[in-house]
Amino acid sequence: MTFSIQALAAPSRTNEPRSTGSDISVDSDEELQAVSSVKRKKHAAVITPGELVTDDPQWMRGHGTAATPGSTAILATVAGTLLRTNKLLSIQPLRARYTPEIGDLVVGRIVSVETKRWKVDVSAPLLAHLPLSAINLPGGILRKRTSTDELAIRTFFSEGDLLVAEVQSVYQDGAASLHTRSLRYGKLRNGVFIRVSGTGGGGSVVRARRQVWTINTANGGGDVDVVLGVNGYIWICKHSRGELVASSEEAKKMNEITRMEEAVSESMYSNRNDEIPPQTRREIARLTGCVKALVENGIRVDEEMVMAAYHASLEPDGDDVPMTMDYDEGHETHEYLGGSRGSRVVAAAVEATKG
Amino acid sequence: MPPSTLLSPSELSYLHSSLSLDLPIRPDARSPTTFRPLVAETDLLPTTNGSARLCFADGSEAIVGVKAEVERTIGASSTSSDVFARGEDGDGDTKMQSAEEEMNEERRRLARGKGQDSWIEVTIDMPGFARDDDGVVVFLAQMLQEGLVADEGLRDRLWIGWGWHWRIYVDILLLTTPNSYPLPLLSLTTHLALLATRLPAPISRIDEDPLFNDDWDAAEPLYPPSGSAHASKPPFTLLVISVEDNIFFDPSREELAVADAVCAVTVGTIDAPVSSGKRREGTPKLRLLSLRIIDPPARLAAATSGTEAEDDQGAWRPARGGMKRAVVGKMVKVVLEVGGVGEEVMTGLEGFHDG
């Protein structure tokens, strides 16, 4: 079916009162646990900003809540689900912007160019800064930046360019300062960009051991790199040797300063894509579909889940008869991971990671 | 009109080269004619004659309410035709079928060619366009109204009797900020709302003041369902893009950004007379109502960027010039052919309405 339209899923409304203050002000701890877990299972109650969470003084307020002065009431400040850790009440937001932390690997897009720095969109409340002094300048990592570099600032990055960087520091107001002073960081090429929500919420990128890895794809696709920015920006591209997203051993080899000088050349900031065969493009598209399906179904996006979803998507699906269109003969449509096919792939992936 | 999508040169070139392959690869692995799944509901507004809500996969959402009002036809000359009508009445009483049936049939016959364009009114409300005489809003409303009035059958069905007619108000509300061309969304939602629209059944004779059956279950659908003698369907508009020689339906934002040409194709049904019994059951024949070429965003961006960026080592540049005839031809063929996209969308929408 090339055109599908589904009825709006009716929200499972129950007429019972929500598990707000009155429910969790039970005295006995065991009873409380039982009550709240049952309630939560029945309908994952979404608490809205300003809603009274509890007015019992025994609870402590955590993230996403606020105390009202002069009373013991705890009010919600974000929309989300209630999370209880012992006596601490916090609210997990349904959707949150990314809060930069030092050391985070982020993918960002340049939105403006200033005299000595770039402003980068990293999906945080404030734009991040990338100072000219925090990038690898052509001709050697340790070179001092000069006025010539300042004039040629647009040859490194200009508006719209994507880059992978690390958060170097966070200012008082929460704005991040980035750096790309490593061969693993820099301009992104040869791939596609996906935007999902960052840390926090259901389907989103979570901080993990590895944010960047290489997949040896099926169907002759070759190696494909996946960069999961902690901020929810994702880059999937063809793996190219010794380039920005270098594998660990290559990075080690590059550790000598002399080698680095050679590596950091003008080509680092080129906009030209490599030759990418259709097989690789197809696998990149499949991976994109996997990530989108994970997000749509509210599953976390990390290496484990993406790999599981990718393998699940390679399995032929019983329900989906490959259809051929009249006008492009022989092209299968079951590669599209949207709608019900996406949910099935994600379900299979979740099953696979459990076992 | 849509906010320009900020994409890096390498992303644009990757997208464009993927889409211009012989077997094109869309960024989400869809086939060229596959639509992203839609979510919809109908009959949600209790005080309208018909209403629908539709959510696109990109998160945009619209609500349409259709309201009908009885109005006195200005300048209706009933003298000459009255005689004609009475004469018909005299013949009618010999063959006594169901009196109501006969009256409806007669009304239908007499109404032919009496409908007026001004009886159908379309208004659009979009966030960000506060004034309802804003150029964009007026233009979109005009495009939708034009599709509706192209169907003589609809206009004539609004005719109640001598001196009286229905006036149809189609109120379209776009709930989300338009993040790409909103026309297909608005048009498909309107289509669903009109399919769900019913008008109270008249019980008065055509030369009397109108009187209606107060039983809502007896109300007649504005568009007779397929299978009945006068089956017809509301028109809809699809967005089609072309990249090189390939054409794509339901383009995503990224795909629109690299489109060589963007077309809005409006398709309606042929209002075939009762006599032609050759039509296949349930599939009214389609006809092309309009084909408009919209300025692709890429070209707008290119125009503003001016003479700069002449260097561009191999980066993609938007194509110059118009659309090829062959591509236009292919577009029309894929939409209109038997079992083509137009038919698929039509049956998909109708299937949703019935189910």
Side-chain angles (χ1 to χ4, degrees):
Chain A
M1 190 78 184
T2 58
F3 183 84
S4 76
I5 179 162
Q6 322 158 354
L8 198 73
S12 53
R13 287 205 194 94
T14 46
N15 289 328
E16 297 169 58
R18 299 247 206 99
S19 61
T20 44
S22 53
D23 292 326
I24 53 172
S25 60
V26 196
D27 284 331
S28 148
D29 235 336
E30 292 90 292
E31 216 179 314
L32 179 125
Q33 202 147 17
V35 168
S36 63
S37 70
V38 166
K39 287 275 177 195
R40 198 110 52 76
K41 278 238 175 72
K42 216 179 264 173
H43 48 265
V46 173
I47 294 176
T48 50
E51 197 175 321
L52 179 75
V53 181
T54 179
D55 51 7
D56 193 323
Q58 68 164 316
W59 299 99
M60 292 193 301
R61 60 176 195 90
H63 288 293
T65 59
T68 42
S71 89
T72 55
I74 294 176
L75 302 179
T77 55
V78 292
T81 48
L82 187 68
L83 188 74
R84 209 179 56 91
T85 323
N86 295 322
K87 291 285 177 193
L88 183 73
L89 293 177
S90 55
I91 294 172
Q92 270 198 316
L94 294 174
R95 232 182 106 116
R97 280 200 161 248
Y98 161 69
T99 339
E101 282 174 33
I102 293 174
D104 281 350
L105 179 120
V106 295
V107 174
R109 193 188 288 281
I110 308 281
V111 289
S112 72
V113 183
E114 294 171 12
T115 41
K116 285 177 189 171
R117 64 176 185 189
W118 294 272
K119 286 274 185 77
V120 189
D121 168 31
V122 289
S123 171
L126 294 163
L127 293 176
H129 304 295
L130 176 66
L132 184 56
S133 55
I135 67 163
N136 279 329
L137 295 167
I141 193 167
L142 292 180
R143 186 164 71 78
K144 200 169 186 289
R145 83 183 146 87
T146 61
S147 53
T148 326
D149 293 328
E150 273 175 35
L151 289 174
I153 191 162
R154 255 175 233 271
T155 60
F156 307 130
F157 294 110
S158 63
E159 289 90 348
D161 284 354
L162 283 167
L163 61 110
V164 55
E166 193 181 286
V167 177
Q168 187 164 37
S169 63
V170 180
Y171 297 124
Q172 278 277 289
D173 58 0
S177 176
L178 308 177
H179 82 92
T180 65
R181 287 222 145 188
S182 159
L183 289 182
R184 285 176 296 152
Y185 306 139
K187 190 176 265 190
L188 293 170
R189 274 191 297 272
N190 302 330
V192 290
F193 172 75
I194 319 165
R195 182 187 173 150
V196 308
S197 76
T199 50
S204 63
V205 177
V206 293
R207 284 195 182 81
R209 200 168 51 81
R210 274 211 295 180
Q211 302 285 136
V212 180
W213 75 96
T214 306
I215 300 174
N216 195 326
T217 54
N219 305 329
D223 286 349
V224 170
D225 286 331
V226 180
V227 184
L228 298 180
V230 183
N231 57 344
Y233 287 2
I234 296 172
W235 183 253
I236 300 176
C237 65
K238 175 178 177 276
H239 178 74
S240 50
R241 206 144 294 285
E243 276 296 291
L244 301 172
V245 190
S247 64
S248 54
E249 57 185 285
E250 279 168 78
K252 258 179 241 155
K253 254 194 279 170
M254 294 287 183
N255 242 335
E256 292 170 64
I257 290 169
T258 45
R259 293 293 305 276
M260 254 182 175
E261 269 177 45
E262 286 165 31
V264 183
S265 59
E266 205 67 60
S267 71
M268 189 168 190
Y269 294 104
S270 133
N271 282 325
R272 188 195 288 269
N273 281 340
D274 301 346
E275 201 66 44
I276 307 169
Q279 293 90 338
T280 311
R281 290 176 191 265
R282 198 154 280 146
E283 293 314 303
I284 289 177
R286 187 196 296 279
L287 272 164
T288 313
C290 289
V291 171
K292 281 187 180 156
L294 284 173
V295 173
E296 249 161 49
N297 291 284
I299 306 292
R300 65 176 202 280
V301 179
D302 59 6
E303 184 184 355
E304 188 191 14
M305 286 315 300
V306 172
M307 290 310 289
Y310 179 70
H311 291 304
S313 75
L314 290 172
E315 303 290 325
D317 197 282
D319 293 14
D320 253 357
V321 184
M323 290 210 306
T324 50
M325 304 306 300
D326 302 4
Y327 116 89
D328 56 351
E329 51 288 306
H331 184 56
E332 295 172 357
T333 59
H334 74 271
E335 281 178 34
Y336 175 48
L337 298 172
S340 55
R341 162 91 172 134
S343 325
R344 285 199 299 276
V345 164
V346 171
V350 170
E351 203 53 48
T353 47
K354 265 185 200 153
Chain B
M1 170 196 349
S4 63
T5 328
L6 198 58
L7 291 170
S8 73
S10 64
E11 274 179 292
L12 289 171
S13 122
Y14 180 90
L15 283 169
H16 190 263
S17 51
S18 291
L19 292 177
S20 46
L21 290 169
D22 282 343
L23 275 177
I25 300 163
R26 302 179 76 165
D28 48 7
R30 272 184 293 159
S31 85
T33 51
T34 305
F35 285 71
R36 290 168 292 178
L38 309 173
V39 180
E41 72 180 316
T42 51
D43 287 326
L44 66 155
L45 303 176
T47 57
T48 56
N49 291 57
S51 57
R53 174 177 154 210
L54 189 66
C55 312
F56 261 32
D58 62 359
S60 52
E61 193 177 333
I63 291 186
V64 172
V66 181
K67 198 99 169 96
E69 210 176 72
V70 177
E71 202 181 53
R72 189 173 265 287
T73 314
I74 296 164
S77 57
S78 60
T79 45
S80 60
S81 358
D82 247 353
V83 181
F84 170 60
R86 290 215 187 87
E88 290 296 313
D89 275 357
D91 289 350
D93 61 8
T94 48
K95 35 184 173 159
M96 283 298 283
Q97 312 162 346
S98 155
E100 224 170 282
E101 275 289 305
E102 195 186 329
M103 204 170 69
N104 281 342
E105 197 54 51
E106 190 186 333
R107 177 170 282 121
R108 202 168 286 139
R109 187 173 49 74
L110 285 175
R112 196 161 298 147
K114 293 203 177 62
Q116 291 173 18
D117 290 1
S118 58
W119 295 353
I120 302 161
E121 213 167 279
V122 180
T123 50
I124 296 180
D125 199 347
M126 292 204 296
F129 297 91
R131 294 175 61 118
D132 55 4
D133 59 351
D134 190 286
V136 172
V137 176
V138 171
F139 178 64
L140 282 173
Q142 194 57 42
M143 273 176 88
L144 289 172
Q145 205 235 2
E146 172 193 273
L148 292 175
V149 298
D151 180 5
E152 300 90 14
L154 171 67
R155 277 182 295 170
D156 295 347
R157 277 193 295 277
L158 299 178
W159 188 81
I160 302 172
W162 306 114
W164 296 93
H165 65 260
W166 288 108
R167 179 182 276 272
I168 298 275
Y169 297 95
V170 181
D171 295 313
I172 304 172
L173 173 64
L174 186 62
L175 294 176
T176 49
T177 46
N179 50 7
S180 61
Y181 295 101
L183 191 60
L185 170 69
L186 302 182
S187 137
L188 289 180
T189 319
T190 311
H191 182 103
L192 274 179
L194 286 170
L195 275 184
T197 302
R198 288 187 295 166
L199 298 176
I203 49 175
S204 59
R205 283 148 47 106
I206 49 170
D207 47 355
E208 295 170 346
D209 281 356
L211 200 65
F212 297 97
N213 192 341
D214 56 4
D215 185 5
W216 180 244
D217 291 330
E220 292 164 346
L222 181 61
Y223 281 92
S226 53
S228 68
H230 303 274
S232 84
K233 296 274 161 285
F236 59 82
T237 306
L238 298 175
L239 209 57
V240 192
I241 62 164
S242 79
V243 177
E244 305 274 308
D245 289 337
N246 298 319
I247 62 168
F248 300 93
F249 286 84
D250 189 20
S252 67
R253 240 180 118 163
E254 293 82 24
E255 288 165 338
L256 273 169
V258 295
D260 289 344
V262 183
C263 276
V265 184
T266 308
V267 180
T269 50
I270 288 178
D271 187 44
V274 203
S275 55
S276 78
K278 281 183 283 181
R279 274 182 293 159
R280 273 199 292 147
E281 190 70 18
T283 52
K285 204 161 160 22
L286 300 178
R287 66 168 169 173
L288 188 72
L289 293 180
S290 76
L291 190 143
R292 278 202 169 78
I293 296 180
I294 303 171
D295 251 350
R299 198 165 308 159
L300 296 176
T304 53
S305 72
T307 52
E308 196 201 347
E310 277 300 319
D311 60 304
D312 269 323
Q313 324 95 336
W316 170 77
R317 310 286 304 277
R320 288 170 197 275
M323 235 176 132
K324 284 185 199 154
R325 284 181 75 95
V327 177
V328 178
K330 191 175 177 183
M331 243 178 220
V332 174
K333 179 169 167 276
V334 173
V335 172
L336 290 186
E337 70 190 346
V338 176
V341 175
E343 209 163 273
E344 187 113 31
V345 172
M346 201 68 100
T347 46
L349 288 165
E350 196 193 0
F352 173 78
H353 172 62
D354 292 342

